[in-house]
C-alpha cells in the first residue's frame, strides 16, 4: 500500500537545524523539515498526498480530477500541477467570486491549466457532486479528491513521510521530542499519527489548528479520527483510539481561516530575517507563531529538540502584500 504511488516530488525533503533561532531560544534546539521544497510547482505538503491520490485515480482509469479549496489553496495549485504531469484534466471548485486580477496560488493554478469554477461561499467542495454529474454526462471519468486531499489514501503520504523522517533521524543520530505543524484539513495529522505507530517514532505531535470552521459538518478532530480509524484497520495496527485521544491545539485559530494578524506577520518576519526561510500567511505563519509562543512561554520542557514541519504555501504571500509590506517587525 505504502509503495503504491505516482512520483511527483523530490524526496527526502531536507531536515535542517535553525541555528540562529536556536541561539535566540537557548532552552531549545530547533529543526525544520522542508516540505516547502517538495518540488511540485513551488512545493508544499499536498505533494505527498497527491502521489497516492493520483495513483488511485490512474488505477481506476479516470481522466479528470475534481477538487476544491479557497482561492489561495495550495492543495488546488499542487493538484493542478500533478494533473499536468499525469496527463489528467483538472477542475477546481474555488470559494468566492471571480476576481478581476488573479494572483498567488490562483494565478499559478490557472497557468498550470486547471479549469476553475468559482463557488461563492462554498470553499470546501460542497458543489463537487453537481460538477461530477455534469462532467460525466459530457463523457469524462471523474475522480473526486476531497477538500485538502484528506482521506485515508492521501494520508498515506504522511505515513510514508514518518518513515522518511525516521531514516533522517537515524542518519543524523538525532532525537526529536516535539513536532509542530499546521493542521487544517486533517490528512497530514492523521498520516503522521498512523506513521508514528507503524515506524515507532517517539516524538510528540503538536498540531496547531488553523481553521476553526467545520468541513462538511465535521470538526477537524472528527475528520482526523475517522481517517485514523480507517488506517488502523487497513494497515493492521494494533491500537484502540477514541475521539478524545485526538490532540489538537486550538489556541491560535480564533481569528478565522485566512485572516492575517500580527501573530502571522511577526512569525513570517522572524523566520525570514533570522534564517532566510519564507513562511506563508495562512498556515505556516500561524503554526510557527504558535511554536514560538510555546517556546517563549516554556510550555514544553527545557533542553528539548523541537521540529517545525514546514508545509509550504509561499505563493499566498503575494495575495497578502498589503499586510506584509509594513516591515515594523524587523529584528
Ligand atoms: C494544506 C496545508 C496544511 C495543512 O495540512 P492538512 O493535511 O490539510 O491538515 C498546512 N500548511 C499548508 C501550507 C497547507 O497548504
Amino acid at each position: 500500500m505504502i509503495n503504491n504511488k505516482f512520483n511527483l516530488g523530490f524526496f527526502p525533503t531536507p531536515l535542517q537545524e535553525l541555528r540562529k533561532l536556536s541561539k535566540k531560544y537557548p532552552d531549545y534546539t530547533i529543526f525544520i523539515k522542508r516540505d516547502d521544497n517538495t518540488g511540485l510547482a513551488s512545493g508544499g505538503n499536498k505533494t505527498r498526498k497527491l502521489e497516492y491520490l493520483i495513483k488511485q485515480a490512474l488505477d481506476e482509469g479516470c481522466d479528470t480530477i475534481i477538487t476544491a479549496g479557497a482561492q489561495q489553496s495550495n492543495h488546488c495549485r499542487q493538484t493542478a500541477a500533478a494533473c499536468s504531469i499525469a496527463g489528467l484534466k483538472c477542475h477546481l471548485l474555488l470559494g468566492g467570486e471571480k476576481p478581476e486580477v488573479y494572483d498567488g496560488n490562483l494565478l499559478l493554478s490557472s497557468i498550470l491549466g486547471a479549469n476553475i469554477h468559482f463557488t461563492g461561499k462554498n470553499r470546501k467542495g460542497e458543489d463537487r457532486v453537481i460538477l461530477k454529474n455534469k462532467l460525466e454526462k459530457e463523457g469524462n471519468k471523474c475522480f473526486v479528491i476531497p477538500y485538502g486531499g484528506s482521506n485515508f489514501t492521501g494520508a498515506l503520504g504522511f505515513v510514508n513521510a514518518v518513515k522518511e523522517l525516521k531514516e533522517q533521524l537515524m542518519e543524523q543520530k538525532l532525537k526529536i521530542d516535539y513536532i509542530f505543524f499546521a493542521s487544517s484539513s486533517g490528512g497530514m495529522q492523521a498520516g503522521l499519527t498512523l506513521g508514528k505507530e507503524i515506524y515507532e517514532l517517539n516524538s510528540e505531535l503538536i498540531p496547531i489548528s488553523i481553521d476553526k470552521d467545520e468541513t462538511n459538518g465535521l470538526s477537524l478532530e472528527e475528520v482526523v479520527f475517522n481517517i485514523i480509524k480507517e488506517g488502523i484497520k487497513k494497515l493492521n495496527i494494533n491500537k484502540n483510539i477514541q475521539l478524545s485521544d485526538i490532540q489538537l491545539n486550538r489556541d491560535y485559530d480564533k481569528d478565522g481561516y485566512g485572516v492575517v494578524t500580527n501573530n502571522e506577520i511577526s512569525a513570517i518576519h522572524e523566520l525570514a530575517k533570522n534564517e532566510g526561510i519564507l513562511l506563508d500567511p495562512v498556515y505556516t505563519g500561524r503554526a510557527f507563531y504558535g511554536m514560538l509562543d510555546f517556546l517563549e512561554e516554556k510550555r514544553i520542557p527545557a533542553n528539548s529538540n523541537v521540529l517545525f514541519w514546514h508545509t509550504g504555501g509561499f505563493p499566498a504571500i503575494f495575495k497578502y502584500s498589503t499586510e506584509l509590506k509594513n516591515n515594523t517587525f524587523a529584528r
Side-chain angles (χ1 to χ4, degrees), residues 265-311:
I265 297 172
S266 66
I268 290 171
H269 284 290
E270 181 145 4
L271 187 63
K273 291 192 176 78
N274 284 289
E275 303 283 351
I277 297 173
L278 296 167
L279 295 167
D280 85 285
V282 179
Y283 297 93
T284 54
R286 185 164 283 184
F288 200 78
Y289 176 83
M291 182 181 86
L292 294 181
D293 193 44
F294 263 69
L295 304 187
E296 257 159 35
E297 301 294 323
K298 302 195 190 313
R299 289 174 69 178
I300 53 177
N303 302 315
S304 298
N305 284 342
V306 174
L307 175 74
F308 182 74
W309 203 307
H310 193 330
T311 44

Side-chain angles (χ1 to χ4, degrees), residues 15-61:
L15 171 66
Q16 307 168 270
E17 185 181 338
L18 297 177
R19 289 180 204 283
K20 282 165 84 189
L21 272 189
S22 297
K23 275 209 187 103
K24 265 185 84 171
Y25 298 86
D27 284 339
Y28 305 101
T29 309
I30 310 171
F31 298 85
I32 192 164
K33 176 84 170 137
R34 299 294 303 275
D35 275 13
D36 55 323
N37 281 5
T38 58
L40 184 62
S42 88
N45 71 337
K46 302 309 180 303
T47 307
R48 293 188 186 272
K49 301 179 186 179
L50 286 162
E51 293 200 315
Y52 291 86
L53 292 161
I54 294 291
K55 177 72 167 102
Q56 188 184 349
L58 293 170
D59 285 350
E60 292 179 12

Side-chain angles (χ1 to χ4, degrees), residues 33-301:
K33 176 84 170 137
R34 299 294 303 275
D35 275 13
D36 55 323
N37 281 5
T38 58
L40 184 62
S42 88
N45 71 337
K46 302 309 180 303
T47 307
R48 293 188 186 272
K49 301 179 186 179
L50 286 162
E51 293 200 315
Y52 291 86
L53 292 161
I54 294 291
K55 177 72 167 102
Q56 188 184 349
L58 293 170
D59 285 350
E60 292 179 12
C62 296
D63 57 17
T64 300
I65 299 286
I66 297 172
T67 197
Q71 290 196 3
Q72 286 303 319
S73 168
N74 301 297
H75 163 65
C76 289
R77 181 246 313 155
Q78 287 165 84
T79 302
C83 287
S84 299
I85 296 171
L88 298 165
K89 286 169 271 187
C90 180
H91 286 260
L92 302 177
L93 296 160
L94 302 183
E97 307 303 327
K98 183 176 175 168
E100 242 163 67
V101 180
Y102 283 15
D103 55 12
N105 281 305
L106 176 59
L107 174 64
L108 299 183
S109 295
S110 153
I111 291 172
L112 290 161
N115 301 282
I116 295 172
H117 311 263
F118 293 96
T119 53
K121 59 184 186 323
N122 293 347
R123 65 172 170 94
K124 297 193 174 182
E126 293 83 346
D127 304 313
R128 61 194 179 275
V129 177
I130 300 172
L131 180 63
K132 181 171 192 270
N133 290 341
K134 177 174 173 286
L135 292 174
E136 295 207 323
K137 270 200 198 106
E138 294 166 10
N140 302 287
K141 185 153 187 217
C142 297
F143 185 87
V144 177
I145 295 180
Y147 178 71
S150 287
N151 58 14
F152 171 67
T153 304
L156 283 173
F158 277 93
V159 175
N160 199 38
V162 173
K163 180 162 172 259
E164 176 183 308
L165 176 66
K166 183 100 195 215
E167 283 164 6
Q168 287 175 315
L169 295 179
M170 269 161 43
E171 226 167 73
Q172 301 186 23
K173 298 194 170 53
L174 187 63
K175 173 166 189 297
I176 294 293
D177 301 299
Y178 298 93
I179 300 177
F180 287 84
F181 60 97
S183 186
S184 184
S185 72
M188 176 172 180
Q189 184 177 343
L192 290 180
T193 307
L194 291 165
K196 236 176 76 94
E197 292 296 324
I198 296 178
Y199 300 110
E200 298 177 341
L201 176 73
N202 53 359
S203 316
E204 186 177 324
L205 303 179
I206 306 189
I208 305 290
S209 168
I210 300 303
D211 184 355
K212 63 180 167 27
D213 297 345
E214 297 191 331
T215 301
N216 301 309
L218 297 177
S219 69
L220 178 53
E221 288 87 344
E222 289 169 316
V223 174
V224 171
F225 176 66
N226 290 341
I227 300 174
I228 292 176
K229 249 192 340 197
E230 186 176 345
I232 282 177
K233 238 191 242 154
K234 291 192 170 157
L235 297 166
N236 293 319
I237 297 170
N238 186 11
K239 196 178 165 90
N240 237 321
I241 73 148
Q242 310 297 327
L243 182 59
S244 55
D245 296 331
I246 304 300
Q247 299 289 325
L248 183 68
N249 182 290
R250 289 215 179 252
D251 293 348
Y252 309 98
D253 68 6
K254 303 287 179 289
D255 291 296
Y257 178 81
V259 177
V260 176
T261 72
N262 286 347
N263 293 358
E264 291 79 25
I265 297 172
S266 66
I268 290 171
H269 284 290
E270 181 145 4
L271 187 63
K273 291 192 176 78
N274 284 289
E275 303 283 351
I277 297 173
L278 296 167
L279 295 167
D280 85 285
V282 179
Y283 297 93
T284 54
R286 185 164 283 184
F288 200 78
Y289 176 83
M291 182 181 86
L292 294 181
D293 193 44
F294 263 69
L295 304 187
E296 257 159 35
E297 301 294 323
K298 302 195 190 313
R299 289 174 69 178
I300 53 177

